[in-house]
Amino acid sequence: MENSKIGRRFEGKVAIITASTQGIGYSIAQRLGVEGASVVISSRRQRNVDEAVKKLKEQGIEVMGLVCHVSNAQQRKNLIDQTIQKYGKIDVVVSNAAANPSVDAILQTKETSLDKLWEINVKTSILLLQEASTHLTKGSSIVFISSISAFEPPAGLAMYGVTKTALLGLTKALATELAPHTRVNCVAPGFVPTHFAEYITSNPAMRKDLEGKTPLKRLGTTEDMAAATAFLASDEASYITGETIVVAGGAPSRL
Ligand code: NAP
C-alpha cells in the first residue's frame, strides 16, 4: 500500500520489533513507523542494522537500531535499556525472531537443534518480555509471529511447527496474565518469499505447488503480515486479546 494511504494509528507510541532488519520484521517496523511510531529495530549483524536504519530514516521514520541476538541476555537487556533511555516507555513489542535449524523428522532431530528451536522460537520471547514488562504502558500490546505450520506441523518443518504451536499457547496464557494492562495477540503467516523461506519459495516447482494449493493463489507478502500485526497492535483491536490471526491466503488452519 502507498504510504500516503496509510493512517497514523501509532502517533506518540514506541514499538520494539525483534529480528527486524529484513523480511517480515522489517516490514512491520516500516508499517508502524509510517503510522507514526518510534521504532526500535534489531538483529544479529551491525551492518544489517545500519542498512535498515538508513532505509527507514529515508522514509521519515523515527528509528533506533541496535544489535540484539535474541539469545544474548546482555543484548536483550541493552535493547530494553536503550529504548527506555531514548524514548522512556514501551507501547508495542513484536516478537518475531525464529530459527529453523533442521529439516529432520522430530525423532531424528539432534538435541542441539531441539535446544536451538526452543530457545530462539519460544524461550527468548519470554525472556525479552520479562525484561520489558515493567516498562509496558497501560494499553500496550504484544504480538507474537507464529506460523501457519503451528496448526498442522508439516514434514520437514515439524519441530519448527511445534515451537510455533507453543506460541499460540503462550499468546493465550500471557493474554490472561497481562490483562487488562496489556493485550497479547499473534499472527500466523503463510509462506512468504523471504530469506527464511528461500529454500522452499525459490524452488519454482514448490512455489507453484504452494500457490496452487492456496485459495487466494499467491504467496503472502511481508506487507500482508505487517498490516495484520499493525491492526492487532493498534487501539482498533482494543477489545481483542489472546487471539491469533492466520494470514495465509485461505490455506487450511482450523475451523
Ligand atoms: P527473514 O526475512 O530471513 O529475516 C530474518 C530477520 O531476523 C533478519 O533481520 C535477521 O537479521 C534477523 N535474525 C535472524 N536470527 C536472529 C536472531 N537469533 N536474533 C535476532 N535477529 C535475528 O525471515 P522472515 O521470513 O521475515 O521471518 C520472520 C518471522 O516470520 C519468523 O518468526 C518466522 O518463523 C516467521 N514466518 C515466516 C514465514 C515465511 O514464509 N517467511 C512463514 C511463517 C512464519 P540478522 O541476520 O542480521 O540477524
Side-chain angles (χ1 to χ4, degrees):
M1 200 188 292
E2 280 170 45
N3 285 355
S4 60
K5 292 195 181 140
I6 289 174
R8 299 283 290 177
R9 292 175 293 185
F10 296 95
E11 207 81 64
K13 306 261 185 184
V14 178
I16 293 177
I17 306 101
T18 65
S20 43
T21 58
Q22 64 177 25
I24 293 169
Y26 174 83
S27 280
I28 294 169
Q30 182 184 36
R31 177 72 193 241
L32 300 183
V34 164
E35 290 210 41
S38 300
V39 293
V40 181
I41 64 159
S42 58
S43 77
R44 294 167 300 181
R45 295 185 185 87
Q46 185 71 56
R47 195 168 60 99
N48 293 348
V49 172
D50 293 343
E51 279 173 14
V53 165
K54 185 165 174 285
K55 279 199 287 177
L56 292 169
K57 279 198 169 146
E58 282 166 3
Q59 297 165 60
I61 290 169
E62 170 58 38
V63 53
M64 174 166 71
L66 295 164
V67 168
C68 179
H69 187 317
V70 291
S71 288
N72 184 316
Q74 191 51 48
Q75 291 178 358
R76 282 195 309 268
K77 182 174 184 319
N78 189 49
L79 181 69
I80 303 301
D81 287 352
Q82 295 284 327
T83 302
I84 295 308
Q85 250 178 48
K86 182 152 187 195
Y87 298 118
K89 61 169 183 166
I90 303 170
D91 299 295
V92 175
V93 179
V94 180
S95 187
N96 171 62
N100 185 21
S102 164
V103 292
D104 293 333
I106 292 177
L107 297 189
Q108 265 75 55
T109 304
K110 292 195 179 73
E111 189 173 350
T112 50
S113 296
L114 292 173
D115 287 345
K116 188 170 180 185
L117 279 159
W118 156 247
E119 174 163 324
I120 307 272
N121 298 3
V122 186
K123 188 176 90 172
T124 60
S125 301
I126 300 168
L127 293 173
L128 183 72
L129 291 173
Q130 286 180 351
E131 200 76 58
S133 63
T134 54
H135 306 288
L136 289 170
T137 54
K138 193 166 184 300
S140 54
S141 178
I142 293 164
V143 182
F144 292 110
I145 304 300
S146 175
S147 167
I148 184 78
S149 61
F151 295 93
E152 196 137 342
L157 286 172
M159 197 55 218
Y160 162 83
V162 172
T163 61
K164 293 296 191 177
T165 315
L167 292 183
L168 309 186
L170 190 60
T171 299
K172 289 279 181 205
L174 282 182
T176 307
E177 204 168 305
L178 298 184
H181 191 91
T182 300
R183 294 180 301 103
V184 185
N185 290 294
C186 181
V187 169
F191 286 97
V192 183
T194 62
H195 176 66
F196 190 78
E198 209 168 25
Y199 73 106
I200 297 172
T201 56
S202 67
N203 176 320
M206 278 166 105
R207 184 176 175 138
K208 202 156 175 272
D209 182 51
L210 276 174
E211 287 169 344
K213 281 185 186 147
T214 306
L216 293 183
K217 300 296 173 214
R218 66 169 176 88
L219 301 184
T221 65
T222 60
E223 290 80 10
D224 291 327
M225 308 310 144
T229 306
F231 166 67
L232 288 173
S234 77
D235 290 344
E236 283 190 275
S238 63
Y239 200 50
I240 302 178
T241 194
E243 292 300 328
T244 295
I245 296 186
V246 177
V247 188
S253 54
R254 61 182 166 181
L255 279 180

mmCIF file of all heavy atoms in Angstrom, residues 59-107:
data_model
loop_
_atom_site.group_PDB
_atom_site.id
_atom_site.type_symbol
_atom_site.label_atom_id
_atom_site.label_comp_id
_atom_site.label_asym_id
_atom_site.label_seq_id
_atom_site.Cartn_x
_atom_site.Cartn_y
_atom_site.Cartn_z
ATOM 1 N N GLN A 59 12.648 7.240 4.866
ATOM 2 C CA GLN A 59 11.177 7.350 4.721
ATOM 3 C C GLN A 59 10.577 8.261 5.788
ATOM 4 O O GLN A 59 9.359 8.272 6.001
ATOM 5 C CB GLN A 59 10.544 5.958 4.810
ATOM 6 C CG GLN A 59 10.988 5.034 3.683
ATOM 7 C CD GLN A 59 10.646 3.577 3.969
ATOM 8 O OE1 GLN A 59 9.476 3.247 4.142
ATOM 9 N NE2 GLN A 59 11.647 2.722 4.025
ATOM 10 N N GLY A 60 11.441 8.967 6.522
ATOM 11 C CA GLY A 60 10.970 9.902 7.540
ATOM 12 C C GLY A 60 10.559 9.233 8.839
ATOM 13 O O GLY A 60 9.846 9.825 9.651
ATOM 14 N N ILE A 61 10.999 7.985 9.039
ATOM 15 C CA ILE A 61 10.593 7.244 10.238
ATOM 16 C C ILE A 61 11.585 7.502 11.379
ATOM 17 O O ILE A 61 12.801 7.519 11.171
ATOM 18 C CB ILE A 61 10.518 5.727 9.899
ATOM 19 C CG1 ILE A 61 9.326 5.486 8.967
ATOM 20 C CG2 ILE A 61 10.433 4.870 11.159
ATOM 21 C CD1 ILE A 61 9.286 4.103 8.335
ATOM 22 N N GLU A 62 11.047 7.715 12.581
ATOM 23 C CA GLU A 62 11.893 7.863 13.782
ATOM 24 C C GLU A 62 12.312 6.455 14.205
ATOM 25 O O GLU A 62 11.483 5.630 14.579
ATOM 26 C CB GLU A 62 11.100 8.569 14.889
ATOM 27 C CG GLU A 62 11.754 8.581 16.267
ATOM 28 C CD GLU A 62 13.130 9.225 16.306
ATOM 29 O OE1 GLU A 62 13.353 10.237 15.618
ATOM 30 O OE2 GLU A 62 14.007 8.699 17.035
ATOM 31 N N VAL A 63 13.609 6.176 14.152
ATOM 32 C CA VAL A 63 14.070 4.801 14.365
ATOM 33 C C VAL A 63 15.394 4.778 15.134
ATOM 34 O O VAL A 63 16.250 5.632 14.934
ATOM 35 C CB VAL A 63 14.226 4.051 13.015
ATOM 36 C CG1 VAL A 63 15.086 4.796 12.020
ATOM 37 C CG2 VAL A 63 14.746 2.623 13.196
ATOM 38 N N MET A 64 15.504 3.779 16.013
ATOM 39 C CA MET A 64 16.800 3.481 16.648
ATOM 40 C C MET A 64 17.123 2.023 16.314
ATOM 41 O O MET A 64 16.237 1.157 16.365
ATOM 42 C CB MET A 64 16.704 3.663 18.162
ATOM 43 C CG MET A 64 17.983 3.229 18.884
ATOM 44 S SD MET A 64 18.051 3.794 20.605
ATOM 45 C CE MET A 64 16.810 2.769 21.352
ATOM 46 N N GLY A 65 18.368 1.756 15.960
ATOM 47 C CA GLY A 65 18.765 0.388 15.619
ATOM 48 C C GLY A 65 19.850 -0.112 16.547
ATOM 49 O O GLY A 65 20.785 0.616 16.875
ATOM 50 N N LEU A 66 19.724 -1.357 16.985
ATOM 51 C CA LEU A 66 20.711 -1.944 17.898
ATOM 52 C C LEU A 66 21.005 -3.380 17.472
ATOM 53 O O LEU A 66 20.137 -4.039 16.885
ATOM 54 C CB LEU A 66 20.147 -1.992 19.323
ATOM 55 C CG LEU A 66 19.861 -0.651 19.990
ATOM 56 C CD1 LEU A 66 18.951 -0.868 21.193
ATOM 57 C CD2 LEU A 66 21.160 0.017 20.425
ATOM 58 N N VAL A 67 22.199 -3.845 17.817
ATOM 59 C CA VAL A 67 22.474 -5.263 17.618
ATOM 60 C C VAL A 67 21.845 -6.030 18.774
ATOM 61 O O VAL A 67 22.076 -5.698 19.940
ATOM 62 C CB VAL A 67 23.994 -5.531 17.567
ATOM 63 C CG1 VAL A 67 24.275 -7.025 17.650
ATOM 64 C CG2 VAL A 67 24.577 -4.957 16.284
ATOM 65 N N CYS A 68 20.996 -6.993 18.459
ATOM 66 C CA CYS A 68 20.445 -7.860 19.507
ATOM 67 C C CYS A 68 20.181 -9.251 18.944
ATOM 68 O O CYS A 68 19.192 -9.458 18.223
ATOM 69 C CB CYS A 68 19.166 -7.273 20.105
ATOM 70 S SG CYS A 68 18.454 -8.358 21.376
ATOM 71 N N HIS A 69 21.094 -10.162 19.246
ATOM 72 C CA HIS A 69 20.840 -11.592 19.008
ATOM 73 C C HIS A 69 19.917 -11.989 20.148
ATOM 74 O O HIS A 69 20.284 -11.827 21.323
ATOM 75 C CB HIS A 69 22.171 -12.346 19.056
ATOM 76 C CG HIS A 69 22.062 -13.790 18.654
ATOM 77 N ND1 HIS A 69 21.045 -14.605 19.076
ATOM 78 C CD2 HIS A 69 22.860 -14.541 17.868
ATOM 79 C CE1 HIS A 69 21.208 -15.812 18.564
ATOM 80 N NE2 HIS A 69 22.308 -15.803 17.815
ATOM 81 N N VAL A 70 18.728 -12.484 19.823
ATOM 82 C CA VAL A 70 17.748 -12.691 20.895
ATOM 83 C C VAL A 70 18.217 -13.673 21.966
ATOM 84 O O VAL A 70 17.705 -13.671 23.083
ATOM 85 C CB VAL A 70 16.350 -13.098 20.355
ATOM 86 C CG1 VAL A 70 15.689 -11.954 19.609
ATOM 87 C CG2 VAL A 70 16.413 -14.365 19.519
ATOM 88 N N SER A 71 19.225 -14.494 21.638
ATOM 89 C CA SER A 71 19.756 -15.442 22.642
ATOM 90 C C SER A 71 20.738 -14.799 23.610
ATOM 91 O O SER A 71 21.167 -15.457 24.555
ATOM 92 C CB SER A 71 20.516 -16.573 21.952
ATOM 93 O OG SER A 71 19.618 -17.413 21.326
ATOM 94 N N ASN A 72 21.137 -13.571 23.343
ATOM 95 C CA ASN A 72 22.179 -12.932 24.150
ATOM 96 C C ASN A 72 21.536 -12.058 25.246
ATOM 97 O O ASN A 72 20.920 -11.020 24.961
ATOM 98 C CB ASN A 72 23.053 -12.092 23.207
ATOM 99 C CG ASN A 72 24.223 -11.450 23.918
ATOM 100 O OD1 ASN A 72 24.069 -10.906 25.010
ATOM 101 N ND2 ASN A 72 25.376 -11.514 23.298
ATOM 102 N N ALA A 73 21.670 -12.495 26.505
ATOM 103 C CA ALA A 73 20.987 -11.824 27.621
ATOM 104 C C ALA A 73 21.404 -10.359 27.739
ATOM 105 O O ALA A 73 20.564 -9.473 27.967
ATOM 106 C CB ALA A 73 21.274 -12.561 28.927
ATOM 107 N N GLN A 74 22.707 -10.105 27.565
ATOM 108 C CA GLN A 74 23.216 -8.738 27.675
ATOM 109 C C GLN A 74 22.608 -7.845 26.579
ATOM 110 O O GLN A 74 22.219 -6.701 26.834
ATOM 111 C CB GLN A 74 24.748 -8.776 27.566
ATOM 112 C CG GLN A 74 25.426 -7.463 27.926
ATOM 113 C CD GLN A 74 24.958 -6.918 29.277
ATOM 114 O OE1 GLN A 74 24.901 -7.643 30.270
ATOM 115 N NE2 GLN A 74 24.578 -5.641 29.303
ATOM 116 N N GLN A 75 22.529 -8.415 25.367
ATOM 117 C CA GLN A 75 21.974 -7.630 24.248
ATOM 118 C C GLN A 75 20.466 -7.422 24.406
ATOM 119 O O GLN A 75 19.937 -6.374 24.026
ATOM 120 C CB GLN A 75 22.310 -8.302 22.910
ATOM 121 C CG GLN A 75 23.802 -8.219 22.601
ATOM 122 C CD GLN A 75 24.197 -8.913 21.303
ATOM 123 O OE1 GLN A 75 23.373 -9.505 20.621
ATOM 124 N NE2 GLN A 75 25.480 -8.842 20.979
ATOM 125 N N ARG A 76 19.779 -8.398 24.983
ATOM 126 C CA ARG A 76 18.345 -8.197 25.253
ATOM 127 C C ARG A 76 18.158 -7.066 26.262
ATOM 128 O O ARG A 76 17.296 -6.195 26.098
ATOM 129 C CB ARG A 76 17.704 -9.484 25.807
ATOM 130 C CG ARG A 76 17.396 -10.549 24.784
ATOM 131 C CD ARG A 76 16.447 -11.592 25.354
ATOM 132 N NE ARG A 76 16.872 -12.139 26.635
ATOM 133 C CZ ARG A 76 17.618 -13.233 26.804
ATOM 134 N NH1 ARG A 76 18.016 -13.929 25.754
ATOM 135 N NH2 ARG A 76 17.962 -13.650 28.008
ATOM 136 N N LYS A 77 18.969 -7.096 27.328
ATOM 137 C CA LYS A 77 18.869 -6.058 28.362
ATOM 138 C C LYS A 77 19.174 -4.686 27.762
ATOM 139 O O LYS A 77 18.478 -3.705 28.005
ATOM 140 C CB LYS A 77 19.836 -6.389 29.513
ATOM 141 C CG LYS A 77 19.775 -5.414 30.654
ATOM 142 C CD LYS A 77 20.647 -5.865 31.825
ATOM 143 C CE LYS A 77 20.529 -4.938 33.034
ATOM 144 N NZ LYS A 77 20.494 -3.511 32.774
ATOM 145 N N ASN A 78 20.219 -4.653 26.940
ATOM 146 C CA ASN A 78 20.614 -3.400 26.301
ATOM 147 C C ASN A 78 19.506 -2.848 25.397
ATOM 148 O O ASN A 78 19.262 -1.642 25.358
ATOM 149 C CB ASN A 78 21.896 -3.648 25.486
ATOM 150 C CG ASN A 78 22.487 -2.361 24.967
ATOM 151 O OD1 ASN A 78 22.652 -1.390 25.708
ATOM 152 N ND2 ASN A 78 22.787 -2.332 23.679
ATOM 153 N N LEU A 79 18.809 -3.755 24.704
ATOM 154 C CA LEU A 79 17.706 -3.337 23.819
ATOM 155 C C LEU A 79 16.633 -2.587 24.627
ATOM 156 O O LEU A 79 16.166 -1.515 24.235
ATOM 157 C CB LEU A 79 17.106 -4.579 23.140
ATOM 158 C CG LEU A 79 15.960 -4.374 22.149
ATOM 159 C CD1 LEU A 79 16.449 -3.671 20.887
ATOM 160 C CD2 LEU A 79 15.345 -5.719 21.757
ATOM 161 N N ILE A 80 16.288 -3.166 25.767
ATOM 162 C CA ILE A 80 15.249 -2.525 26.601
ATOM 163 C C ILE A 80 15.802 -1.245 27.244
ATOM 164 O O ILE A 80 15.157 -0.190 27.202
ATOM 165 C CB ILE A 80 14.738 -3.507 27.686
ATOM 166 C CG1 ILE A 80 14.193 -4.799 27.037
ATOM 167 C CG2 ILE A 80 13.685 -2.847 28.573
ATOM 168 C CD1 ILE A 80 13.053 -4.623 26.064
ATOM 169 N N ASP A 81 17.020 -1.330 27.804
ATOM 170 C CA ASP A 81 17.613 -0.157 28.482
ATOM 171 C C ASP A 81 17.720 1.035 27.529
ATOM 172 O O ASP A 81 17.364 2.159 27.878
ATOM 173 C CB ASP A 81 19.007 -0.496 29.023
ATOM 174 C CG ASP A 81 18.944 -1.410 30.236
ATOM 175 O OD1 ASP A 81 17.822 -1.650 30.742
ATOM 176 O OD2 ASP A 81 20.009 -1.901 30.669
ATOM 177 N N GLN A 82 18.233 0.771 26.328
ATOM 178 C CA GLN A 82 18.429 1.879 25.355
ATOM 179 C C GLN A 82 17.089 2.461 24.918
ATOM 180 O O GLN A 82 16.963 3.663 24.716
ATOM 181 C CB GLN A 82 19.168 1.358 24.119
ATOM 182 C CG GLN A 82 20.581 0.883 24.380
ATOM 183 C CD GLN A 82 21.549 2.039 24.561
ATOM 184 O OE1 GLN A 82 21.390 3.089 23.953
ATOM 185 N NE2 GLN A 82 22.523 1.846 25.422
ATOM 186 N N THR A 83 16.090 1.582 24.780
ATOM 187 C CA THR A 83 14.754 2.065 24.391
ATOM 188 C C THR A 83 14.216 3.008 25.463
ATOM 189 O O THR A 83 13.692 4.091 25.163
ATOM 190 C CB THR A 83 13.781 0.872 24.194
ATOM 191 O OG1 THR A 83 14.320 0.005 23.215
ATOM 192 C CG2 THR A 83 12.395 1.331 23.757
ATOM 193 N N ILE A 84 14.361 2.598 26.710
ATOM 194 C CA ILE A 84 13.838 3.428 27.812
ATOM 195 C C ILE A 84 14.637 4.730 27.924
ATOM 196 O O ILE A 84 14.068 5.803 28.101
ATOM 197 C CB ILE A 84 13.846 2.620 29.135
ATOM 198 C CG1 ILE A 84 12.874 1.440 29.025
ATOM 199 C CG2 ILE A 84 13.495 3.497 30.331
ATOM 200 C CD1 ILE A 84 11.458 1.806 28.577
ATOM 201 N N GLN A 85 15.970 4.615 27.772
ATOM 202 C CA GLN A 85 16.786 5.833 27.844
ATOM 203 C C GLN A 85 16.366 6.834 26.777
ATOM 204 O O GLN A 85 16.243 8.029 27.024
ATOM 205 C CB GLN A 85 18.251 5.463 27.619
ATOM 206 C CG GLN A 85 19.085 5.602 28.881
ATOM 207 C CD GLN A 85 20.513 5.184 28.609
ATOM 208 O OE1 GLN A 85 21.113 5.609 27.632
ATOM 209 N NE2 GLN A 85 21.049 4.344 29.479
ATOM 210 N N LYS A 86 16.120 6.337 25.559
ATOM 211 C CA LYS A 86 15.817 7.260 24.465
ATOM 212 C C LYS A 86 14.338 7.665 24.414
ATOM 213 O O LYS A 86 14.027 8.826 24.176
ATOM 214 C CB LYS A 86 16.227 6.629 23.128
ATOM 215 C CG LYS A 86 15.997 7.550 21.953
ATOM 216 C CD LYS A 86 16.928 7.314 20.811
ATOM 217 C CE LYS A 86 16.726 8.410 19.758
ATOM 218 N NZ LYS A 86 17.321 8.096 18.488
ATOM 219 N N TYR A 87 13.438 6.720 24.637
ATOM 220 C CA TYR A 87 12.008 7.016 24.416
ATOM 221 C C TYR A 87 11.153 6.962 25.689
ATOM 222 O O TYR A 87 9.991 7.364 25.672
ATOM 223 C CB TYR A 87 11.428 6.052 23.380
ATOM 224 C CG TYR A 87 12.087 6.160 22.013
ATOM 225 C CD1 TYR A 87 12.767 5.071 21.458
ATOM 226 C CD2 TYR A 87 12.031 7.343 21.277
ATOM 227 C CE1 TYR A 87 13.364 5.161 20.205
ATOM 228 C CE2 TYR A 87 12.621 7.444 20.030
ATOM 229 C CZ TYR A 87 13.284 6.345 19.503
ATOM 230 O OH TYR A 87 13.863 6.454 18.264
ATOM 231 N N GLY A 88 11.690 6.388 26.784
ATOM 232 C CA GLY A 88 11.020 6.464 28.089
ATOM 233 C C GLY A 88 9.890 5.487 28.358
ATOM 234 O O GLY A 88 9.340 5.458 29.460
ATOM 235 N N LYS A 89 9.476 4.672 27.387
ATOM 236 C CA LYS A 89 8.352 3.750 27.598
ATOM 237 C C LYS A 89 8.320 2.737 26.460
ATOM 238 O O LYS A 89 9.022 2.894 25.458
ATOM 239 C CB LYS A 89 7.035 4.519 27.616
ATOM 240 C CG LYS A 89 6.767 5.243 26.293
ATOM 241 C CD LYS A 89 5.366 5.782 26.197
ATOM 242 C CE LYS A 89 5.114 6.424 24.841
ATOM 243 N NZ LYS A 89 3.756 6.678 24.529
ATOM 244 N N ILE A 90 7.475 1.717 26.625
ATOM 245 C CA ILE A 90 7.276 0.732 25.545
ATOM 246 C C ILE A 90 5.768 0.506 25.384
ATOM 247 O O ILE A 90 5.085 0.124 26.331
ATOM 248 C CB ILE A 90 7.962 -0.620 25.863
ATOM 249 C CG1 ILE A 90 9.466 -0.413 26.118
ATOM 250 C CG2 ILE A 90 7.743 -1.621 24.722
ATOM 251 C CD1 ILE A 90 10.168 -1.639 26.677
ATOM 252 N N ASP A 91 5.265 0.775 24.179
ATOM 253 C CA ASP A 91 3.838 0.565 23.896
ATOM 254 C C ASP A 91 3.574 -0.730 23.143
ATOM 255 O O ASP A 91 2.484 -1.301 23.264
ATOM 256 C CB ASP A 91 3.286 1.725 23.049
ATOM 257 C CG ASP A 91 3.396 3.063 23.763
ATOM 258 O OD1 ASP A 91 2.732 3.223 24.799
ATOM 259 O OD2 ASP A 91 4.163 3.929 23.298
ATOM 260 N N VAL A 92 4.525 -1.141 22.318
ATOM 261 C CA VAL A 92 4.312 -2.319 21.469
ATOM 262 C C VAL A 92 5.593 -3.156 21.453
ATOM 263 O O VAL A 92 6.688 -2.620 21.311
ATOM 264 C CB VAL A 92 3.994 -1.894 20.007
ATOM 265 C CG1 VAL A 92 3.897 -3.115 19.084
ATOM 266 C CG2 VAL A 92 2.717 -1.060 19.932
ATOM 267 N N VAL A 93 5.437 -4.470 21.623
ATOM 268 C CA VAL A 93 6.561 -5.390 21.389
ATOM 269 C C VAL A 93 6.103 -6.426 20.371
ATOM 270 O O VAL A 93 5.073 -7.082 20.567
ATOM 271 C CB VAL A 93 7.014 -6.127 22.669
ATOM 272 C CG1 VAL A 93 8.169 -7.084 22.348
ATOM 273 C CG2 VAL A 93 7.429 -5.152 23.761
ATOM 274 N N VAL A 94 6.851 -6.543 19.282
ATOM 275 C CA VAL A 94 6.578 -7.596 18.299
ATOM 276 C C VAL A 94 7.728 -8.593 18.381
ATOM 277 O O VAL A 94 8.879 -8.252 18.140
ATOM 278 C CB VAL A 94 6.453 -7.031 16.866
ATOM 279 C CG1 VAL A 94 6.176 -8.167 15.882
ATOM 280 C CG2 VAL A 94 5.366 -5.964 16.797
ATOM 281 N N SER A 95 7.387 -9.815 18.764
ATOM 282 C CA SER A 95 8.395 -10.857 18.953
ATOM 283 C C SER A 95 8.427 -11.711 17.696
ATOM 284 O O SER A 95 7.536 -12.515 17.452
ATOM 285 C CB SER A 95 8.023 -11.684 20.183
ATOM 286 O OG SER A 95 9.056 -12.584 20.457
ATOM 287 N N ASN A 96 9.473 -11.511 16.897
ATOM 288 C CA ASN A 96 9.458 -12.011 15.512
ATOM 289 C C ASN A 96 10.604 -12.973 15.200
ATOM 290 O O ASN A 96 10.579 -13.638 14.171
ATOM 291 C CB ASN A 96 9.514 -10.768 14.593
ATOM 292 C CG ASN A 96 9.720 -11.107 13.137
ATOM 293 O OD1 ASN A 96 8.880 -11.771 12.538
ATOM 294 N ND2 ASN A 96 10.840 -10.687 12.571
ATOM 295 N N ALA A 97 11.594 -13.079 16.081
ATOM 296 C CA ALA A 97 12.777 -13.899 15.732
ATOM 297 C C ALA A 97 12.433 -15.384 15.726
ATOM 298 O O ALA A 97 11.619 -15.853 16.517
ATOM 299 C CB ALA A 97 13.892 -13.635 16.736
ATOM 300 N N ALA A 98 13.047 -16.113 14.799
ATOM 301 C CA ALA A 98 12.861 -17.574 14.770
ATOM 302 C C ALA A 98 14.046 -18.218 14.070
ATOM 303 O O ALA A 98 14.759 -17.570 13.298
ATOM 304 C CB ALA A 98 11.576 -17.940 14.042
ATOM 305 N N ALA A 99 14.226 -19.497 14.349
ATOM 306 C CA ALA A 99 15.248 -20.292 13.659
ATOM 307 C C ALA A 99 14.607 -21.592 13.221
ATOM 308 O O ALA A 99 13.636 -22.056 13.825
ATOM 309 C CB ALA A 99 16.404 -20.580 14.610
ATOM 310 N N ASN A 100 15.148 -22.150 12.148
ATOM 311 C CA ASN A 100 14.704 -23.477 11.713
ATOM 312 C C ASN A 100 15.931 -24.282 11.315
ATOM 313 O O ASN A 100 16.231 -24.419 10.129
ATOM 314 C CB ASN A 100 13.713 -23.359 10.548
ATOM 315 C CG ASN A 100 13.168 -24.727 10.174
ATOM 316 O OD1 ASN A 100 13.217 -25.650 10.986
ATOM 317 N ND2 ASN A 100 12.680 -24.860 8.958
ATOM 318 N N PRO A 101 16.669 -24.796 12.316
ATOM 319 C CA PRO A 101 17.978 -25.399 12.034
ATOM 320 C C PRO A 101 17.931 -26.810 11.466
ATOM 321 O O PRO A 101 18.987 -27.360 11.139
ATOM 322 C CB PRO A 101 18.642 -25.406 13.420
ATOM 323 C CG PRO A 101 17.498 -25.500 14.378
ATOM 324 C CD PRO A 101 16.361 -24.764 13.737
ATOM 325 N N SER A 102 16.740 -27.424 11.326
ATOM 326 C CA SER A 102 16.719 -28.839 10.939
ATOM 327 C C SER A 102 15.498 -29.155 10.079
ATOM 328 O O SER A 102 14.425 -28.600 10.285
ATOM 329 C CB SER A 102 16.666 -29.688 12.223
ATOM 330 O OG SER A 102 16.280 -30.994 11.929
ATOM 331 N N VAL A 103 15.685 -30.022 9.092
ATOM 332 C CA VAL A 103 14.523 -30.489 8.320
ATOM 333 C C VAL A 103 14.219 -31.952 8.662
ATOM 334 O O VAL A 103 13.417 -32.610 8.009
ATOM 335 C CB VAL A 103 14.739 -30.353 6.785
ATOM 336 C CG1 VAL A 103 14.794 -28.894 6.374
ATOM 337 C CG2 VAL A 103 15.989 -31.095 6.332
ATOM 338 N N ASP A 104 14.884 -32.449 9.708
ATOM 339 C CA ASP A 104 14.722 -33.857 10.087
ATOM 340 C C ASP A 104 13.345 -34.119 10.705
ATOM 341 O O ASP A 104 12.694 -33.219 11.226
ATOM 342 C CB ASP A 104 15.782 -34.241 11.133
ATOM 343 C CG ASP A 104 17.173 -34.208 10.543
ATOM 344 O OD1 ASP A 104 17.300 -34.400 9.316
ATOM 345 O OD2 ASP A 104 18.132 -33.977 11.308
ATOM 346 N N ALA A 105 12.944 -35.388 10.635
ATOM 347 C CA ALA A 105 11.757 -35.817 11.379
ATOM 348 C C ALA A 105 12.026 -35.567 12.866
ATOM 349 O O ALA A 105 13.185 -35.570 13.305
ATOM 350 C CB ALA A 105 11.506 -37.296 11.132
ATOM 351 N N ILE A 106 10.962 -35.364 13.630
ATOM 352 C CA ILE A 106 11.146 -34.976 15.040
ATOM 353 C C ILE A 106 12.016 -35.992 15.797
ATOM 354 O O ILE A 106 12.939 -35.604 16.519
ATOM 355 C CB ILE A 106 9.773 -34.803 15.732
ATOM 356 C CG1 ILE A 106 9.069 -33.571 15.138
ATOM 357 C CG2 ILE A 106 9.933 -34.653 17.251
ATOM 358 C CD1 ILE A 106 7.679 -33.307 15.674
ATOM 359 N N LEU A 107 11.760 -37.265 15.600
ATOM 360 C CA LEU A 107 12.518 -38.261 16.383
ATOM 361 C C LEU A 107 13.950 -38.423 15.884
ATOM 362 O O LEU A 107 14.756 -39.097 16.529
ATOM 363 C CB LEU A 107 11.771 -39.595 16.415
ATOM 364 C CG LEU A 107 10.396 -39.544 17.105
ATOM 365 C CD1 LEU A 107 9.816 -40.930 17.287
ATOM 366 C CD2 LEU A 107 10.442 -38.813 18.450
#
